[in-house]
Amino acid sequence: MKADLLLVHAPSLYDFRKRGVHHGPISDLIPSTPVFELYPAGFLSLLTYLGKRGYRVRILNLATRMLLDPSFDIVREIRKIDALVFGFDLHWMVHVQGALEVARIVKEIWERPIVFGGFTSTIFSQDILKNYEQVDYVLLGDTTEEPFKELLDYLIEGRGSLEGIPNLSWRDDDGTVRTNGITFVPEEIGDYAIDYGFVAREVIRSMRPRGFLPFAKFLGDPIGMALAYKGCIFNCVTCGGSCHAFKNSFRRSGLGYKPPERLAEEILSLNQCMKIPIFLVGDLQLDLNHARAMVRELRENRFDAPIFFEFFTPPKRETLEVLRKASDDVLLHISPESHDERVRTAFGRPYQNSELERFIRNAAELDFTRIDLYFMVGLPYQTYEGTLETYKYLRSIANKIPGSKKILDYFISPLAPFIDPGSLAFKDPEKFGYRLRFTDLESHRLAIERASNWKETLNYETEWMTRDEIARASYVAAEKLVELKIENGIVEEDSGSQTIQLIREARRMVTSGKGSTESITMRETVPEGDLYPSKNLLLTLKPKFFTTLLKAILKP
C-alpha cells in the first residue's frame, strides 16, 4: 500500500501479547481494552482535512490488529506500506512505551520522516526530540490539521520552510532542537470537523479496512463520537485536559467551538451511513443557544440513533428539555467522581449532592433513556473506607427519586495508570495531597514496560491511600456496585454474578502479583453489555453506506 501519510496507533505496551501482565480495570469505562487501542478522533479529522486537500492519508491501528489476530506480524505489515511520512499519536501518557517502540521499528525499516503529536507529545516535545532519535518532528497544541498540511507541503512538495510552520518543533542535523512555539490556536474549529462519509470512502479505497477499525470490538459493539469544542473551563486537578493545562501547555485561553451546523453535520455524516450510538464530547449547557441550534439541525435531518450527552456539572431543567428533543433515544453522562462533597470539590467539581439529585429527578421526569454516573478512586481526601460508601449513596438515590431505578446506571474505576502531565496535581502534587513516583517521560515508559500488573504502573499515591489501598478499594467498591445493579435490576443476576467472580479473581491476582493476558479483551468490573447500548455493526448499516461502497469501488 502506498500513502502520503500513514497515521499509526500503537498499543500502550508494544509486546503485550508476549508478556504476562495483568492490565486490570484501567480501561473498563471506555470502549477499548487495557492496551488502549482506541485511536484519537484527531486521526479522523486529519484524514478529512488532509485528504480533501489532495493527500492520501491512511490509518493503521496496530493495537487493534494485534488484538484481533494473535499471529499478526507488525514488522511484515510495516514493510508492505510505503508511506512518505509516518505520524504517531502520543496523546495520553499511557501510549509512551508503545508509540516510541513502534516508531523505532518503523525508522529501522523506512528512513522516512516520523511525526509525533498529541498532549503528551506537546508537553515533552523537547525531551522526545533530544532523547529518541526515531522521532523527527513534533506538532504542538490541540489543533494540528493546518500545521500538518504545511509540514506535508514542505516534506513532500518541497514548499515553504520549517521555520514558517506554526506549532512545529524539530531536530536539526546537528542535534539541536528548534521550535516555532504554539501560535496556531483557532478560536473556531468548524473547519476541522470529521466528514464520516469521506472517511468511509477512504477506508474502502484503501483496500485495508481492518487497519481503520477504531477499537477491537467495533464490529460487535460500535460507537461513534463528535467533539463539540476544544478547551475546558474546569480545573479537575489530575486532568491533562483541564483549563490550567489548556492555557499553560497548549496556549488555549478559551473554548474553541464548532458552529452548531458543523457539529450537527459531523454527527449526521455518521448517522447517514450507520445507526450506531454517538457520544458527543463536551458539555453543551455552557452555551444553550449553541445546543438548541445543533438539536434543531438534528431533528430537521431526522437523526435516529442513540446519542450520549455529557455534563461536567448538573444541568438545569431547561437544558434537559432542549437536549431531550435530539433523538428518541437520549442518554446522559456525568462524573460526580465521588459521593463525598468534600472530595468532589477538592478534585475540581464544586457542586452539591442536592444539585446532582435534582438533575436525576428532572431527567427521570423527562423520560431520558439512561443516566450514567461515573466515580473514581484515588482522589484528594478520599479514604479506603469512604470509597466503599459509594454504593450506599447510590442506593439512597434509587429509593428517594421516583423513576430513577429504571434509568440510573453507575460505574467506578481507579484513577489510572497516571496522573496526567500538564495537570495541576502533576505540577504541584503536594498541594493536592499526591506523592508522585516519577515525572519524566522515560520513567513512565519504563513503568509500562516493566510492570507485571496495573497497580505497579500507578505513578502516584495520596496522603489518604497507598497504591495497595487504591487497588483494593477499586475492586471492592466495584463489586458492591455490581451487587446494587443486580438488586435494582440493571443487570441480570447471572451476568452480574459472573462479573463479581471476575472481580474477586482479579483482586487475588493483584494481591499475588501474578498476571495474565488471557482476559485482556474482557471487562473486569463491568458486566457485558452494561456500558452502552450495542448492536452488531452490520445490522446498523444504511443504504447510503452501500451507495458509498459502490461509488468507491467504481471510481478509478
Side-chain angles (χ1 to χ4, degrees):
M1 181 178 75
K2 290 184 177 293
D4 295 316
L5 171 65
L6 181 70
L7 296 171
V8 183
H9 182 70
S12 56
L13 175 65
Y14 167 69
D15 58 350
F16 69 89
R17 295 180 297 183
K18 301 177 182 178
R19 297 277 302 278
V21 179
H22 175 213
H23 296 273
I26 57 177
S27 68
D28 276 5
L29 305 189
I30 58 176
S32 63
T33 70
V35 300
F36 292 93
E37 79 275 15
L38 177 63
Y39 55 70
F43 269 24
L44 300 180
S45 60
L46 282 169
L47 188 155
T48 300
Y49 188 83
L50 298 174
K52 288 187 175 183
R53 285 155 181 80
Y55 286 107
R56 290 176 302 168
V57 181
R58 298 293 178 255
I59 294 174
L60 176 59
N61 191 341
L62 283 176
T64 290
R65 294 295 308 276
M66 293 169 76
L67 282 166
L68 294 178
D69 182 1
S71 64
F72 176 74
D73 188 322
I74 288 181
V75 173
R76 183 184 304 161
E77 181 72 10
I78 291 173
R79 288 187 188 279
K80 295 178 183 177
I81 302 173
D82 184 4
L84 299 180
V85 180
F86 290 83
F88 283 80
D89 63 293
L90 179 48
H91 191 60
W92 302 117
M93 182 64 89
V94 70
H95 280 107
V96 62
Q97 197 275 345
L100 287 169
E101 182 62 17
V102 175
R104 182 189 64 77
I105 293 169
V106 168
K107 184 64 83 172
E108 289 179 353
I109 297 171
W110 296 100
E111 187 54 46
R112 302 285 168 76
I114 290 181
V115 185
F116 268 42
F119 284 3
T120 299
S121 293
T122 297
I123 293 170
F124 290 96
S125 59
Q126 293 283 321
D127 192 355
I128 291 170
L129 291 167
K130 283 181 180 177
N131 299 312
Y132 303 94
E133 294 183 353
Q134 61 267 47
V135 183
D136 303 296
Y137 305 95
V138 176
L139 283 169
L140 313 173
D142 64 28
T143 307
T144 61
E145 287 83 358
E146 177 57 26
F148 216 141
K149 177 190 173 298
E150 294 184 30
L151 181 59
L152 294 183
D153 289 345
Y154 172 81
L155 295 173
I156 297 175
E157 305 295 336
R159 297 200 302 266
S161 65
L162 292 178
E163 290 81 4
I165 300 173
N167 296 29
L168 180 68
S169 291
W170 72 99
R171 184 178 51 251
D172 274 342
D173 293 338
D174 64 1
T176 302
V177 174
R178 302 181 62 186
T179 184
N180 297 330
I182 302 175
T183 57
F184 183 76
V185 188
E187 295 181 3
E188 195 254 54
I189 59 171
D191 288 342
Y192 315 111
I194 300 167
D195 182 342
Y196 282 100
F198 182 83
V199 170
R201 289 193 293 274
E202 293 302 294
V203 170
I204 296 164
R205 289 172 185 165
S206 75
M207 303 301 291
R208 291 171 177 257
R210 286 184 299 172
F212 286 78
L213 290 176
F215 54 94
K217 291 187 175 182
F218 182 76
L219 296 178
D221 295 312
I223 188 169
M225 69 152 288
L227 180 70
Y229 55 80
K230 294 185 178 182
C232 190
I233 66 169
F234 296 99
N235 266 324
C236 298
V237 300
T238 66
C239 181
S242 64
C243 178
H244 173 87
F246 270 106
K247 182 178 180 179
N248 292 278
S249 297
F250 315 123
R251 301 296 182 263
R252 182 174 292 282
S253 58
L255 302 182
Y257 274 95
K258 284 185 184 128
E261 64 276 5
R262 292 306 305 275
L263 179 57
E265 184 179 311
E266 178 172 306
I267 295 169
L268 290 165
S269 72
L270 180 57
N271 184 236
Q272 287 163 0
C273 290
M274 54 191 69
K275 187 179 178 179
I276 66 174
I278 295 176
F279 191 95
L280 197 147
V281 179
D283 189 339
L284 291 184
Q285 69 176 319
L286 300 180
D287 188 337
L288 194 53
N289 288 331
H290 182 283
R292 189 176 284 110
M294 187 272 296
V295 168
R296 184 168 55 250
E297 290 284 333
L298 294 183
R299 289 190 64 81
E300 289 177 355
N301 288 276
R302 299 182 179 180
F303 175 76
D304 63 355
I307 185 167
F308 282 83
F309 293 111
E310 71 169 341
F311 304 108
F312 301 138
T313 60
K316 295 180 179 179
R317 188 180 182 97
E318 181 185 9
T319 300
L320 295 176
E321 289 171 343
V322 169
L323 298 182
R324 184 65 188 86
K325 299 174 183 177
S327 171
D328 292 336
D329 200 357
V330 181
L331 304 92
L332 308 176
H333 168 137
I334 190 169
S335 300
E337 312 299 2
S338 173
H339 67 285
D340 186 320
E341 293 173 348
R342 183 188 187 195
V343 172
R344 184 186 307 139
T345 299
F347 184 68
R349 297 286 173 95
Y351 58 85
Q352 304 300 305
N353 285 342
S354 58
E355 298 173 74
L356 178 64
E357 292 161 21
R358 187 181 306 115
F359 154 56
I360 295 170
R361 186 182 302 274
N362 285 331
E365 291 174 356
L366 292 170
D367 197 29
F368 280 87
T369 302
R370 203 170 88 180
I371 309 169
D372 290 341
L373 306 182
Y374 287 81
F375 297 87
M376 195 181 294
V377 184
L379 308 180
Y381 296 106
Q382 189 180 48
T383 64
Y384 176 85
E385 293 77 13
T387 305
L388 304 191
E389 297 293 308
T390 306
Y391 83 100
K392 291 184 179 179
Y393 175 66
L394 291 169
R395 177 179 283 159
S396 74
I397 289 178
N399 290 334
K400 69 183 177 182
I401 300 179
S404 63
K405 279 187 181 181
K406 70 175 184 178
I407 67 168
L408 197 61
D409 205 350
Y410 24 81
F411 308 89
I412 193 164
S413 177
L415 169 56
F418 306 132
I419 289 177
D420 293 342
S423 68
L424 288 163
F426 192 89
K427 290 190 174 182
D428 193 359
E430 293 183 2
K431 179 178 178 180
F432 300 98
Y434 287 94
R435 292 187 287 269
L436 297 189
R437 299 170 59 214
F438 36 84
T439 58
D440 63 287
L441 195 75
E442 179 65 7
S443 294
H444 285 84
R445 190 190 71 80
L446 290 174
I448 294 173
E449 189 169 270
R450 295 173 176 175
S452 63
N453 64 58
W454 67 272
K455 182 188 70 176
E456 294 177 359
T457 65
L458 296 181
N459 70 340
Y460 75 96
E461 61 182 13
T462 75
E463 290 182 18
W464 306 273
M465 277 200 278
T466 64
R467 284 189 296 150
D468 285 336
E469 289 174 321
I470 289 169
R472 191 163 69 250
S474 297
Y475 283 122
V476 177
E479 181 177 337
K480 289 180 177 292
L481 260 58
V482 175
E483 290 173 348
L484 189 59
K485 290 172 191 274
I486 296 171
E487 179 184 319
N488 288 338
I490 297 170
V491 299
E492 297 291 336
E493 185 169 356
D494 287 349
S495 175
S497 297
Q498 290 173 8
T499 300
I500 289 172
Q501 183 62 30
L502 276 175
I503 291 171
R504 291 174 178 174
E505 291 175 1
R507 182 181 167 191
R508 284 194 293 270
M509 199 178 296
V510 169
T511 301
S512 68
K514 297 178 180 179
S516 171
T517 60
E518 292 180 2
S519 61
I520 194 168
T521 60
M522 297 177 62
R523 302 188 194 283
E524 284 188 349
T525 62
V526 179
E528 189 70 24
D530 186 31
L531 194 59
Y532 56 87
S534 62
K535 193 175 186 179
N536 188 283
L537 181 67
L538 291 176
L539 301 177
T540 74
L541 299 179
K542 292 184 173 183
K544 184 170 182 179
F545 174 83
F546 297 102
T547 302
T548 301
L549 174 62
L550 184 60
K551 288 181 178 179
I553 293 173
L554 294 177
K555 185 173 181 179

